[in-house]
């Protein structure tokens, strides 16, 4: 099997990491409640980006490389 890095492999991991970064942020503590934990970015956008990155990683692992013959 060819061990060359493909474009899918190069892009998948950063997309996965960006999804987790979108989920991060300040949280609530015992004195204040931050309603930003329920934002659309954290509940909808970030999990979708993370899932897309994860599926891209799976695709990059199982895809058969093209023959250059």
């Amino acid at each position: 099997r060819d061990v060359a890095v493909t474009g899918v492999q190069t892009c998948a991991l950063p997309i996965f990491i960006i999804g987790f970064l979108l989920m991060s942020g300040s949280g609530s503590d015992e004195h204040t409640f931050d309603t930003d934990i329920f934002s659309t970015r954290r509940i909808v956008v970030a999990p979708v980006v993370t899932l897309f990155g994860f599926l891209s990683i799976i695709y990059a692992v199982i895809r058969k490389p093209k023959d250059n013959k």
Side-chain angles (χ1 to χ4, degrees), residues 9-50:
Q9 292 167 329
T10 305
C11 295
L13 189 59
I15 291 171
F16 186 70
I17 292 171
I18 287 170
F20 276 100
L21 291 175
L22 287 172
M23 281 189 251
S24 68
S26 63
S28 300
D29 60 15
E30 59 188 50
H31 301 293
T32 60
F33 179 73
D34 187 12
T35 57
D36 190 43
I37 61 172
F38 300 115
S39 69
T40 303
R41 176 183 57 107
R42 288 188 178 179
I43 293 180
V44 178
V45 177
V48 169
V49 171
T50 304

